[in-house]
Amino acid sequence: MKIATYNVNGINARLPVLLRWLKETKPDVVCLQELKSPDEKIPKQEIADAGYNAIWHGQKRWNGVAILARDMEIKELGRTLPGDPEDVQSRYIEADINDLHIGCLYLPNGNPAPGPKFDYKLDWFKRLTGRAKELLEIDRPVILTGDYNVIPTEKDVYKPERWIDDALFRPETRAAYEKLLAQGWTDAIRKLYPEETIYTFWDYFRNAYSRNAGLRIDHFLLNEHLNDRLLDAGVDKSVRGWEKTSDHAPVWINIKD
DNA sequence: ATGCCGATGCGTCATCGA
């Protein structure tokens, strides 16, 4: 089974690219982030016509997450993280699909740092870590995937020294990611490719993509039930080179059914 | 060194993203 995550940066602006990518790569499950669309404007019919069931948690202008599945029922389990009833940003959705329990997340960017946005990022991270702890109690396969807005190590950025003070790379952010992993999660890409340069995002400007000036910030975290089922993982890098594309590329894993 | 690009909204610019 192939599971993918893709920050589309606007689902309506990205629809042709999204539909082409779905058709060409046929993922079984897809987690989307940055829909930038209220629920009523999400292109539900086009997604259904492409052969996917879907659940979404949209929001006007910003954020927004969705889970798509081909030929499988999606049982929604929640669309908020515990810990802050005041938080209205659409950044999380969780569902059961067959034997898999999947959380789709869009972690806050956090810039400029320090500041209130960075505080929100770290607080959101804490709440995610709390939910992740609960999910580890479930005795079944769990996947936490999406745009983490975290550059985990120096290997994951084209020029680390330029990102030292950035919210994606600051010590607090990396420590929060480390703490999450230490609960018992596996970073699927790094498990399979411990040393390779792998990016999932390239800025729109400064010819970042053609210079391969990228970041690895979209991640797949797997619990121990998936340790022996991970077959492969990768980034559909070429999609980043398409016309009218997102600044992120889709990331995927293949697991044993 | 730098939102330089791109998307959204009730908009002709501000705000967000990373």
Short mmCIF file of all heavy atoms in Angstrom, two decimals, chain A residues 184-238:
data_model
loop_
_atom_site.label_atom_id
_atom_site.label_comp_id
_atom_site.label_asym_id
_atom_site.label_seq_id
_atom_site.Cartn_x
_atom_site.Cartn_y
_atom_site.Cartn_z
N GLY A 184 9.26 6.70 20.37
CA GLY A 184 9.22 5.40 19.71
C GLY A 184 8.77 5.46 18.25
O GLY A 184 8.28 4.47 17.71
N TRP A 185 8.96 6.63 17.64
CA TRP A 185 8.58 6.79 16.23
C TRP A 185 9.79 6.69 15.33
O TRP A 185 10.90 7.09 15.70
CB TRP A 185 7.91 8.16 16.01
CG TRP A 185 6.67 8.35 16.81
CD1 TRP A 185 6.58 8.89 18.07
CD2 TRP A 185 5.34 7.96 16.46
NE1 TRP A 185 5.27 8.88 18.50
CE2 TRP A 185 4.50 8.31 17.54
CE3 TRP A 185 4.78 7.35 15.34
CZ2 TRP A 185 3.11 8.08 17.51
CZ3 TRP A 185 3.41 7.13 15.32
CH2 TRP A 185 2.59 7.49 16.38
N THR A 186 9.56 6.19 14.12
CA THR A 186 10.62 6.06 13.13
C THR A 186 10.38 7.02 11.98
O THR A 186 9.29 7.06 11.41
CB THR A 186 10.65 4.62 12.57
OG1 THR A 186 10.95 3.72 13.65
CG2 THR A 186 11.71 4.48 11.49
N ASP A 187 11.39 7.82 11.66
CA ASP A 187 11.37 8.69 10.47
C ASP A 187 11.66 7.80 9.26
O ASP A 187 12.79 7.38 9.04
CB ASP A 187 12.45 9.77 10.67
CG ASP A 187 12.53 10.77 9.53
OD1 ASP A 187 12.21 10.41 8.38
OD2 ASP A 187 12.93 11.92 9.78
N ALA A 188 10.61 7.50 8.50
CA ALA A 188 10.70 6.46 7.46
C ALA A 188 11.79 6.73 6.43
O ALA A 188 12.54 5.83 6.05
CB ALA A 188 9.34 6.31 6.77
N ILE A 189 11.89 7.97 5.97
CA ILE A 189 12.89 8.30 4.94
C ILE A 189 14.30 8.06 5.49
O ILE A 189 15.14 7.45 4.83
CB ILE A 189 12.74 9.77 4.51
CG1 ILE A 189 11.46 9.94 3.68
CG2 ILE A 189 13.98 10.25 3.75
CD1 ILE A 189 11.60 9.78 2.19
N ARG A 190 14.54 8.51 6.71
CA ARG A 190 15.89 8.37 7.28
C ARG A 190 16.21 6.94 7.66
O ARG A 190 17.38 6.54 7.69
CB ARG A 190 16.06 9.30 8.48
CG ARG A 190 16.47 10.69 8.08
CD ARG A 190 17.86 10.71 7.41
NE ARG A 190 18.15 12.02 6.81
CZ ARG A 190 18.44 12.21 5.53
NH1 ARG A 190 18.49 11.19 4.68
NH2 ARG A 190 18.70 13.41 5.08
N LYS A 191 15.18 6.15 7.97
CA LYS A 191 15.44 4.74 8.26
C LYS A 191 15.97 4.04 7.00
O LYS A 191 16.93 3.27 7.06
CB LYS A 191 14.16 4.05 8.74
CG LYS A 191 14.38 2.58 9.09
CD LYS A 191 13.10 1.89 9.47
CE LYS A 191 13.37 0.44 9.89
NZ LYS A 191 12.13 -0.30 10.12
N LEU A 192 15.35 4.35 5.86
CA LEU A 192 15.73 3.67 4.62
C LEU A 192 16.95 4.32 3.96
O LEU A 192 17.73 3.66 3.30
CB LEU A 192 14.56 3.68 3.64
CG LEU A 192 13.36 2.82 4.04
CD1 LEU A 192 12.22 3.02 3.07
CD2 LEU A 192 13.76 1.34 4.09
N TYR A 193 17.08 5.63 4.12
CA TYR A 193 18.18 6.37 3.48
C TYR A 193 18.87 7.26 4.50
O TYR A 193 18.70 8.48 4.50
CB TYR A 193 17.62 7.20 2.31
CG TYR A 193 16.88 6.36 1.30
CD1 TYR A 193 15.48 6.31 1.30
CD2 TYR A 193 17.58 5.58 0.38
CE1 TYR A 193 14.80 5.51 0.38
CE2 TYR A 193 16.90 4.79 -0.54
CZ TYR A 193 15.51 4.76 -0.52
OH TYR A 193 14.85 3.97 -1.42
N PRO A 194 19.68 6.65 5.39
CA PRO A 194 20.26 7.39 6.52
C PRO A 194 21.20 8.52 6.12
O PRO A 194 21.33 9.50 6.87
CB PRO A 194 20.99 6.32 7.32
CG PRO A 194 20.90 5.05 6.57
CD PRO A 194 19.99 5.22 5.40
N GLU A 195 21.86 8.42 4.99
CA GLU A 195 22.90 9.39 4.67
C GLU A 195 22.61 10.27 3.46
O GLU A 195 23.33 11.22 3.20
CB GLU A 195 24.24 8.65 4.42
CG GLU A 195 24.75 7.88 5.63
CD GLU A 195 25.03 8.77 6.83
OE1 GLU A 195 25.33 9.97 6.64
OE2 GLU A 195 24.91 8.27 7.96
N GLU A 196 21.57 9.95 2.71
CA GLU A 196 21.39 10.65 1.43
C GLU A 196 20.80 12.05 1.60
O GLU A 196 20.13 12.34 2.57
CB GLU A 196 20.47 9.82 0.53
CG GLU A 196 21.12 8.48 0.27
CD GLU A 196 20.49 7.72 -0.88
OE1 GLU A 196 19.94 8.35 -1.79
OE2 GLU A 196 20.57 6.49 -0.83
N THR A 197 21.11 12.89 0.65
CA THR A 197 20.51 14.22 0.61
C THR A 197 19.13 14.09 -0.01
O THR A 197 18.99 13.76 -1.19
CB THR A 197 21.38 15.17 -0.23
OG1 THR A 197 22.65 15.31 0.42
CG2 THR A 197 20.72 16.53 -0.36
N ILE A 198 18.12 14.33 0.79
CA ILE A 198 16.74 14.21 0.33
C ILE A 198 15.96 15.45 0.76
O ILE A 198 15.90 15.76 1.95
CB ILE A 198 16.07 12.94 0.91
CG1 ILE A 198 16.80 11.68 0.42
CG2 ILE A 198 14.59 12.89 0.54
CD1 ILE A 198 16.34 10.39 1.09
N TYR A 199 15.40 16.16 -0.19
CA TYR A 199 14.61 17.35 0.11
C TYR A 199 13.16 17.14 -0.31
O TYR A 199 12.86 16.34 -1.20
CB TYR A 199 15.17 18.57 -0.63
CG TYR A 199 16.60 18.91 -0.26
CD1 TYR A 199 17.51 19.33 -1.23
CD2 TYR A 199 17.05 18.81 1.06
CE1 TYR A 199 18.82 19.64 -0.90
CE2 TYR A 199 18.35 19.13 1.39
CZ TYR A 199 19.24 19.53 0.42
OH TYR A 199 20.53 19.84 0.74
N THR A 200 12.27 17.90 0.35
CA THR A 200 10.84 17.82 0.01
C THR A 200 10.27 19.19 -0.33
O THR A 200 9.11 19.29 -0.72
CB THR A 200 10.04 17.24 1.19
OG1 THR A 200 10.07 18.15 2.29
CG2 THR A 200 10.61 15.89 1.63
N PHE A 201 11.06 20.24 -0.14
CA PHE A 201 10.61 21.62 -0.39
C PHE A 201 11.73 22.42 -1.04
O PHE A 201 12.90 22.31 -0.65
CB PHE A 201 10.21 22.27 0.96
CG PHE A 201 10.05 23.76 0.88
CD1 PHE A 201 8.81 24.33 0.62
CD2 PHE A 201 11.13 24.61 1.08
CE1 PHE A 201 8.67 25.72 0.54
CE2 PHE A 201 11.00 25.98 1.00
CZ PHE A 201 9.76 26.54 0.73
N TRP A 202 11.34 23.24 -2.01
CA TRP A 202 12.27 24.19 -2.63
C TRP A 202 11.52 25.51 -2.80
O TRP A 202 10.44 25.56 -3.38
CB TRP A 202 12.71 23.69 -4.01
CG TRP A 202 13.48 22.40 -4.01
CD1 TRP A 202 14.83 22.25 -4.08
CD2 TRP A 202 12.95 21.07 -3.95
NE1 TRP A 202 15.17 20.91 -4.07
CE2 TRP A 202 14.04 20.17 -3.98
CE3 TRP A 202 11.65 20.53 -3.85
CZ2 TRP A 202 13.88 18.78 -3.93
CZ3 TRP A 202 11.48 19.16 -3.80
CH2 TRP A 202 12.60 18.30 -3.84
N ASP A 203 12.13 26.61 -2.35
CA ASP A 203 11.52 27.93 -2.49
C ASP A 203 11.15 28.23 -3.94
O ASP A 203 11.78 27.74 -4.86
CB ASP A 203 12.51 29.00 -2.01
CG ASP A 203 12.13 29.55 -0.65
OD1 ASP A 203 10.92 29.70 -0.39
OD2 ASP A 203 13.04 29.80 0.16
N TYR A 204 10.14 29.07 -4.10
CA TYR A 204 9.76 29.48 -5.46
C TYR A 204 10.81 30.39 -6.09
O TYR A 204 10.93 30.47 -7.31
CB TYR A 204 8.43 30.24 -5.43
CG TYR A 204 7.20 29.37 -5.32
CD1 TYR A 204 6.31 29.52 -4.26
CD2 TYR A 204 6.91 28.41 -6.29
CE1 TYR A 204 5.16 28.75 -4.17
CE2 TYR A 204 5.77 27.63 -6.20
CZ TYR A 204 4.90 27.80 -5.14
OH TYR A 204 3.77 27.04 -5.05
N PHE A 205 11.54 31.12 -5.26
CA PHE A 205 12.43 32.14 -5.83
C PHE A 205 13.90 31.73 -5.75
O PHE A 205 14.25 30.68 -5.22
CB PHE A 205 12.17 33.49 -5.19
CG PHE A 205 11.99 33.45 -3.71
CD1 PHE A 205 13.07 33.48 -2.87
CD2 PHE A 205 10.71 33.37 -3.17
CE1 PHE A 205 12.89 33.45 -1.50
CE2 PHE A 205 10.54 33.33 -1.80
CZ PHE A 205 11.63 33.37 -0.97
N ARG A 206 14.70 32.58 -6.32
CA ARG A 206 16.14 32.34 -6.38
C ARG A 206 16.47 31.02 -7.08
O ARG A 206 17.47 30.37 -6.76
CB ARG A 206 16.74 32.36 -4.98
CG ARG A 206 17.05 33.75 -4.50
CD ARG A 206 17.52 33.75 -3.06
NE ARG A 206 16.40 33.49 -2.16
CZ ARG A 206 16.38 33.81 -0.86
NH1 ARG A 206 17.42 34.37 -0.32
NH2 ARG A 206 15.33 33.56 -0.12
N ASN A 207 15.61 30.58 -7.96
CA ASN A 207 15.85 29.32 -8.69
C ASN A 207 16.22 28.18 -7.75
O ASN A 207 17.07 27.36 -8.05
CB ASN A 207 16.97 29.50 -9.72
CG ASN A 207 16.60 30.53 -10.75
OD1 ASN A 207 15.49 30.50 -11.28
ND2 ASN A 207 17.50 31.45 -11.03
N ALA A 208 15.53 28.14 -6.62
CA ALA A 208 15.90 27.15 -5.59
C ALA A 208 15.83 25.72 -6.13
O ALA A 208 16.71 24.91 -5.82
CB ALA A 208 14.99 27.31 -4.37
N TYR A 209 14.81 25.43 -6.92
CA TYR A 209 14.66 24.05 -7.40
C TYR A 209 15.78 23.67 -8.36
O TYR A 209 16.38 22.59 -8.23
CB TYR A 209 13.29 23.87 -8.06
CG TYR A 209 13.05 22.46 -8.54
CD1 TYR A 209 13.04 21.39 -7.65
CD2 TYR A 209 12.83 22.20 -9.90
CE1 TYR A 209 12.81 20.09 -8.10
CE2 TYR A 209 12.61 20.91 -10.34
CZ TYR A 209 12.60 19.86 -9.44
OH TYR A 209 12.39 18.58 -9.90
N SER A 210 16.10 24.54 -9.30
CA SER A 210 17.15 24.20 -10.26
C SER A 210 18.53 24.16 -9.60
O SER A 210 19.42 23.46 -10.06
CB SER A 210 17.13 25.17 -11.45
OG SER A 210 17.30 26.49 -10.99
N ARG A 211 18.70 24.90 -8.49
CA ARG A 211 19.96 24.82 -7.75
C ARG A 211 19.95 23.69 -6.72
O ARG A 211 20.92 23.50 -5.99
CB ARG A 211 20.21 26.15 -7.01
CG ARG A 211 20.47 27.34 -7.90
CD ARG A 211 20.87 28.57 -7.09
NE ARG A 211 19.82 29.05 -6.21
CZ ARG A 211 19.94 29.17 -4.88
NH1 ARG A 211 21.06 28.83 -4.28
NH2 ARG A 211 18.93 29.62 -4.15
N ASN A 212 18.80 23.01 -6.61
CA ASN A 212 18.57 22.02 -5.56
C ASN A 212 18.85 22.59 -4.17
O ASN A 212 19.41 21.92 -3.30
CB ASN A 212 19.39 20.75 -5.79
CG ASN A 212 18.85 19.57 -4.98
OD1 ASN A 212 17.65 19.52 -4.68
ND2 ASN A 212 19.71 18.63 -4.63
N ALA A 213 18.44 23.84 -3.98
CA ALA A 213 18.55 24.47 -2.66
C ALA A 213 17.27 24.16 -1.89
O ALA A 213 16.34 24.97 -1.84
CB ALA A 213 18.74 25.97 -2.81
N GLY A 214 17.21 22.96 -1.32
CA GLY A 214 15.97 22.49 -0.71
C GLY A 214 16.07 22.22 0.77
O GLY A 214 17.12 22.38 1.40
N LEU A 215 14.92 21.81 1.31
CA LEU A 215 14.80 21.43 2.72
C LEU A 215 14.04 20.12 2.78
O LEU A 215 13.17 19.85 1.94
CB LEU A 215 13.99 22.48 3.50
CG LEU A 215 14.28 23.96 3.31
CD1 LEU A 215 13.23 24.77 4.06
CD2 LEU A 215 15.67 24.29 3.80
N ARG A 216 14.32 19.33 3.80
CA ARG A 216 13.48 18.15 4.08
C ARG A 216 12.63 18.48 5.30
O ARG A 216 13.13 18.50 6.42
CB ARG A 216 14.34 16.91 4.33
CG ARG A 216 13.52 15.62 4.39
CD ARG A 216 14.39 14.39 4.54
NE ARG A 216 14.92 14.25 5.87
CZ ARG A 216 14.34 13.52 6.86
NH1 ARG A 216 13.22 12.87 6.62
NH2 ARG A 216 14.89 13.46 8.05
N ILE A 217 11.35 18.76 5.06
CA ILE A 217 10.46 19.18 6.16
C ILE A 217 9.15 18.41 6.19
O ILE A 217 8.36 18.58 7.12
CB ILE A 217 10.16 20.70 6.08
CG1 ILE A 217 9.61 21.09 4.72
CG2 ILE A 217 11.41 21.51 6.41
CD1 ILE A 217 9.20 22.55 4.63
N ASP A 218 8.89 17.59 5.18
CA ASP A 218 7.68 16.75 5.17
C ASP A 218 8.10 15.34 5.55
O ASP A 218 8.97 14.74 4.90
CB ASP A 218 7.06 16.76 3.77
CG ASP A 218 6.71 18.17 3.32
OD1 ASP A 218 5.58 18.61 3.60
OD2 ASP A 218 7.57 18.84 2.69
N HIS A 219 7.49 14.82 6.60
CA HIS A 219 8.00 13.58 7.19
C HIS A 219 6.92 12.52 7.39
O HIS A 219 5.74 12.85 7.54
CB HIS A 219 8.65 13.87 8.55
CG HIS A 219 9.68 14.95 8.49
ND1 HIS A 219 10.79 14.87 7.69
CD2 HIS A 219 9.77 16.15 9.13
CE1 HIS A 219 11.52 15.98 7.84
NE2 HIS A 219 10.91 16.77 8.70
N PHE A 220 7.37 11.27 7.40
CA PHE A 220 6.53 10.13 7.77
C PHE A 220 7.06 9.54 9.07
O PHE A 220 8.17 9.01 9.10
CB PHE A 220 6.60 9.04 6.69
CG PHE A 220 5.55 9.17 5.64
CD1 PHE A 220 5.84 9.78 4.43
CD2 PHE A 220 4.27 8.67 5.84
CE1 PHE A 220 4.87 9.90 3.45
CE2 PHE A 220 3.30 8.78 4.87
CZ PHE A 220 3.60 9.40 3.66
N LEU A 221 6.26 9.60 10.12
CA LEU A 221 6.62 8.95 11.38
C LEU A 221 5.76 7.70 11.56
O LEU A 221 4.53 7.78 11.45
CB LEU A 221 6.43 9.91 12.55
CG LEU A 221 7.67 10.73 12.96
CD1 LEU A 221 8.31 11.41 11.76
CD2 LEU A 221 7.33 11.74 14.03
N LEU A 222 6.43 6.58 11.80
CA LEU A 222 5.75 5.29 11.91
C LEU A 222 5.96 4.69 13.29
O LEU A 222 7.07 4.78 13.84
CB LEU A 222 6.30 4.30 10.87
CG LEU A 222 6.52 4.82 9.44
CD1 LEU A 222 7.08 3.71 8.56
CD2 LEU A 222 5.22 5.35 8.86
N ASN A 223 4.93 4.04 13.82
CA ASN A 223 5.12 3.37 15.10
C ASN A 223 5.70 1.96 14.88
O ASN A 223 5.89 1.52 13.74
CB ASN A 223 3.84 3.35 15.93
CG ASN A 223 2.81 2.34 15.44
OD1 ASN A 223 2.94 1.80 14.34
ND2 ASN A 223 1.79 2.09 16.25
N GLU A 224 5.99 1.24 15.96
CA GLU A 224 6.75 -0.01 15.87
C GLU A 224 6.01 -1.09 15.09
O GLU A 224 6.63 -2.00 14.56
CB GLU A 224 7.11 -0.51 17.27
CG GLU A 224 5.89 -0.84 18.09
CD GLU A 224 6.24 -1.34 19.49
OE1 GLU A 224 7.43 -1.35 19.83
OE2 GLU A 224 5.30 -1.70 20.22
N HIS A 225 4.68 -0.97 15.02
CA HIS A 225 3.92 -1.98 14.28
C HIS A 225 4.22 -1.96 12.79
O HIS A 225 3.88 -2.90 12.07
CB HIS A 225 2.42 -1.76 14.50
CG HIS A 225 1.94 -2.16 15.85
ND1 HIS A 225 1.54 -3.44 16.17
CD2 HIS A 225 1.85 -1.45 17.00
CE1 HIS A 225 1.21 -3.50 17.45
NE2 HIS A 225 1.38 -2.30 17.97
N LEU A 226 4.85 -0.89 12.34
CA LEU A 226 5.18 -0.79 10.91
C LEU A 226 6.66 -1.04 10.63
O LEU A 226 7.09 -0.97 9.48
CB LEU A 226 4.75 0.59 10.39
CG LEU A 226 3.23 0.76 10.33
CD1 LEU A 226 2.84 2.23 10.24
CD2 LEU A 226 2.64 -0.01 9.15
N ASN A 227 7.42 -1.35 11.67
CA ASN A 227 8.86 -1.56 11.51
C ASN A 227 9.21 -2.56 10.42
O ASN A 227 10.11 -2.33 9.61
CB ASN A 227 9.49 -2.05 12.83
CG ASN A 227 9.73 -0.90 13.79
OD1 ASN A 227 9.59 0.27 13.41
ND2 ASN A 227 10.08 -1.21 15.03
N ASP A 228 8.48 -3.66 10.42
CA ASP A 228 8.80 -4.73 9.46
C ASP A 228 7.95 -4.66 8.20
O ASP A 228 8.02 -5.55 7.36
CB ASP A 228 8.63 -6.10 10.13
CG ASP A 228 9.55 -6.24 11.33
OD1 ASP A 228 10.68 -5.70 11.26
OD2 ASP A 228 9.14 -6.86 12.32
N ARG A 229 7.16 -3.62 8.09
CA ARG A 229 6.28 -3.53 6.91
C ARG A 229 6.71 -2.44 5.93
O ARG A 229 6.16 -2.33 4.84
CB ARG A 229 4.83 -3.27 7.36
CG ARG A 229 4.19 -4.50 7.99
CD ARG A 229 2.80 -4.21 8.54
NE ARG A 229 1.87 -3.79 7.50
CZ ARG A 229 0.62 -3.40 7.74
NH1 ARG A 229 0.17 -3.35 9.00
NH2 ARG A 229 -0.18 -3.05 6.75
N LEU A 230 7.70 -1.62 6.33
CA LEU A 230 8.15 -0.54 5.45
C LEU A 230 8.99 -1.10 4.31
O LEU A 230 10.06 -1.66 4.52
CB LEU A 230 8.97 0.48 6.26
CG LEU A 230 9.52 1.68 5.49
CD1 LEU A 230 8.41 2.54 4.89
CD2 LEU A 230 10.42 2.52 6.39
N LEU A 231 8.49 -0.96 3.08
CA LEU A 231 9.17 -1.52 1.91
C LEU A 231 10.05 -0.49 1.21
O LEU A 231 11.14 -0.79 0.76
CB LEU A 231 8.13 -2.05 0.91
CG LEU A 231 7.22 -3.17 1.41
CD1 LEU A 231 6.12 -3.44 0.39
CD2 LEU A 231 8.03 -4.43 1.69
N ASP A 232 9.53 0.72 1.10
CA ASP A 232 10.26 1.75 0.36
C ASP A 232 9.68 3.12 0.71
O ASP A 232 8.58 3.21 1.26
CB ASP A 232 10.15 1.49 -1.15
CG ASP A 232 11.22 2.23 -1.94
OD1 ASP A 232 12.12 2.83 -1.32
OD2 ASP A 232 11.15 2.21 -3.18
N ALA A 233 10.43 4.14 0.37
CA ALA A 233 9.96 5.51 0.59
C ALA A 233 10.68 6.42 -0.40
O ALA A 233 11.77 6.08 -0.89
CB ALA A 233 10.25 5.97 2.02
N GLY A 234 10.07 7.57 -0.70
CA GLY A 234 10.73 8.46 -1.65
C GLY A 234 10.01 9.79 -1.78
O GLY A 234 9.00 10.05 -1.12
N VAL A 235 10.56 10.63 -2.64
CA VAL A 235 9.99 11.94 -2.94
C VAL A 235 9.74 12.01 -4.45
O VAL A 235 10.63 11.67 -5.23
CB VAL A 235 10.96 13.07 -2.53
CG1 VAL A 235 10.36 14.44 -2.84
CG2 VAL A 235 11.30 12.96 -1.04
N ASP A 236 8.55 12.40 -4.83
CA ASP A 236 8.25 12.61 -6.25
C ASP A 236 8.78 13.97 -6.67
O ASP A 236 8.04 14.91 -6.96
CB ASP A 236 6.74 12.51 -6.52
CG ASP A 236 6.23 11.08 -6.40
OD1 ASP A 236 7.04 10.15 -6.57
OD2 ASP A 236 5.03 10.90 -6.14
N LYS A 237 10.09 14.04 -6.72
CA LYS A 237 10.77 15.33 -6.92
C LYS A 237 10.39 16.02 -8.23
O LYS A 237 10.27 17.25 -8.29
CB LYS A 237 12.29 15.10 -6.87
CG LYS A 237 13.09 16.37 -6.90
CD LYS A 237 14.59 16.09 -6.78
CE LYS A 237 15.37 17.38 -6.97
NZ LYS A 237 16.82 17.18 -6.93
N SER A 238 10.18 15.24 -9.27
CA SER A 238 9.92 15.84 -10.59
C SER A 238 8.65 16.69 -10.59
O SER A 238 8.53 17.63 -11.38
CB SER A 238 9.85 14.76 -11.65
OG SER A 238 8.75 13.91 -11.41
#
